[in-house]
Amino acid sequence: MSSPTETVRRPRRTASSVLQTVLTAAAGTLLVALTLVTCIDVVARYWFNAPLSGAYELTEIFLASLIFLALPLTTARNEHVEVDLLDAAGGPRLARIVRPVTGLLSAGVLAIFAWRLWDHATRLAEDGAVTDSLSIPLAPVGFLAAGACAISALAAALNALRP
């Protein structure tokens, strides 16, 4: 039992673990919101013959945001779907050589996606692009996608360089 003068040491949280917690919470919140919008729309449509206005737009935005919020988590945990044809053909030695190369290649592709999405989101912001029925600005979704791809590129590069 610790005395009142002893300090309790809590494990330090790294920036990576804080970011993972925030992304997980945001993705979970969006998943709940997406479920609620869908349920409300279905019940209103079939029981009251009055569908939820803008449900389609909300579903599109929530789903796109959910996918891009989960992308860095999936990348950091190395949970993407992989086809390991070279591993089977070349054995473990070739796999040790190929994994960093493919990881860095993935990081490069994600970085290009981040750049192009940022450019596109900037144009959406300049044009004032909004959704048709609810007038929700589209640029924030583009910036979210660009940021998620940039974080994923960093995670892929770190994973590729990790022994």
Side-chain angles (χ1 to χ4, degrees), residues 70-83 110 152 156:
L71 181 63
L73 297 169
T74 305
T75 304
R77 296 174 184 162
N78 273 327
E79 292 179 344
H80 288 292
V81 175
E82 295 179 355
V83 178
L110 286 164
S152 297

Side-chain angles (χ1 to χ4, degrees), residues 11-21:
R12 285 187 59 193
R13 293 187 52 117
T14 63
S16 173
S17 66
V18 170
L19 183 60
Q20 285 188 16
T21 301

Side-chain angles (χ1 to χ4, degrees), residues 8-63:
V8 177
R9 292 188 182 208
R10 294 183 184 177
R12 285 187 59 193
R13 293 187 52 117
T14 63
S16 173
S17 66
V18 170
L19 183 60
Q20 285 188 16
T21 301
V22 168
L23 289 173
T24 301
T29 303
L30 272 174
L31 189 57
V32 169
L34 181 62
T35 304
L36 286 173
V37 165
T38 303
C39 289
I40 291 169
D41 184 46
V42 167
V43 168
R45 180 180 310 273
Y46 291 108
W47 286 2
F48 303 110
N49 200 24
L52 181 63
S53 179
Y56 183 75
E57 289 178 356
L58 288 174
T59 300
E60 285 180 317
I61 289 172
F62 288 171
L63 192 55

Side-chain angles (χ1 to χ4, degrees), residues 125-144:
E126 289 169 353
D127 294 343
V130 295
T131 60
D132 289 333
S133 63
L134 297 178
S135 297
I136 299 170
L138 293 173
V141 179
F143 288 124
L144 172 72

